[in-house]
Amino acid sequence: TENTELQIFALAVCLGYFFFDMGWCVCYRSEGPVMLAHHAASIVGILLALLMGVSGCETCGVIFGSEITNPLLQTRWFLRQLGLYDSLLGDAVDLLFILLFATVRVGMGTVMFYCELTSPRTLLIMKLGGVVMYLLAWVFMVDIARFGYKKSKAKYRKWMENHKLKDMNKEKLVGHTDKSD
């Protein structure tokens, strides 16, 4: 459908954000090729929706789904800067990030992607953009799953080490006799 004024405004604001963030990532070399591809695809998709005057609704939906986890990523960064990342709060932020990403970007994203592909009104170029964004979401999901697995494995290993130390200390205390007799 034709873009509304609110969709045009939202897309223009998002376009500014993506240009700024892409410039930041390139200037400071803070992100890898997958994130740069995400930014480039987002910029092209927004520009297409603005220039063609259609598909603002689904473009805004994709941006919302793609960026809903961003505050959690920023929270992780702040926790690291404050030295609080290796805490229960850091674990909670990571878990919420993984769950939100899987639910929104992969779960709801799959439904939205299917609707976009099967819609007779969506232009082919926008469908191709949807394929790119969907594939990027899965690349991110695989990376996130690896991260979650490694972090869980490390936490479990640390828990087991602490548990063994406690058992060893208990054995020493039980085996300790008072030699004052």
Side-chain angles (χ1 to χ4, degrees):
T1 59
E2 191 174 316
N3 297 345
T4 66
E5 285 186 32
L6 185 57
Q7 290 166 351
I8 292 168
F9 176 74
L11 291 172
V13 169
C14 291
L15 184 62
Y17 162 76
F18 277 107
F19 273 128
F20 172 80
D21 206 39
M22 178 76 136
W24 182 277
C25 293
V26 170
C27 183
Y28 293 101
R29 299 173 191 209
S30 60
E31 299 294 340
V34 176
M35 184 60 78
L36 294 177
H38 162 71
H39 281 69
S42 297
I43 289 169
V44 170
I46 294 168
L47 283 172
L48 283 171
L50 287 171
L51 294 173
M52 293 186 316
V54 295
S55 294
C57 181
E58 56 261 45
T59 305
C60 286
V62 168
I63 292 168
F64 176 79
S66 295
E67 297 303 315
I68 194 168
T69 55
N70 198 332
L72 294 168
L73 289 175
Q74 303 311 316
T75 302
R76 292 178 75 224
W77 183 86
F78 282 111
L79 289 173
R80 278 198 181 100
Q81 297 304 308
L82 296 170
L84 300 172
Y85 178 68
D86 292 322
S87 66
L88 184 59
L89 180 59
D91 293 342
V93 168
D94 282 345
L95 181 61
L96 185 58
F97 172 78
I98 292 168
L99 292 174
L100 193 58
F101 192 98
T103 303
V104 175
R105 286 187 71 172
V106 174
M108 291 173 55
T110 299
V111 173
M112 189 171 173
F113 181 57
Y114 174 78
C115 291
E116 181 184 39
L117 285 181
T118 58
S119 171
R121 297 188 329 184
T122 304
L123 299 175
L124 179 61
I125 189 76
M126 296 308 279
K127 289 181 182 191
L128 292 174
V131 169
V132 169
M133 291 302 286
Y134 189 69
L135 290 175
L136 284 170
W138 273 103
V139 170
F140 282 131
M141 188 71 246
V142 169
D143 285 347
I144 290 166
R146 284 184 186 146
F147 162 78
Y149 175 75
K150 286 178 186 176
K151 185 168 182 174
S152 298
K153 192 174 170 183
K155 289 278 183 186
Y156 179 73
R157 214 178 278 138
K158 187 176 179 181
W159 179 82
M160 286 299 288
E161 287 172 10
N162 288 339
H163 190 66
K164 285 179 185 177
L165 285 175
K166 286 179 185 176
D167 286 347
M168 288 172 52
N169 287 336
K170 283 181 186 177
E171 287 176 16
K172 286 180 183 177
L173 288 174
V174 170
H176 179 70
T177 58
D178 189 9
K179 297 192 180 194
S180 62
D181 294 342

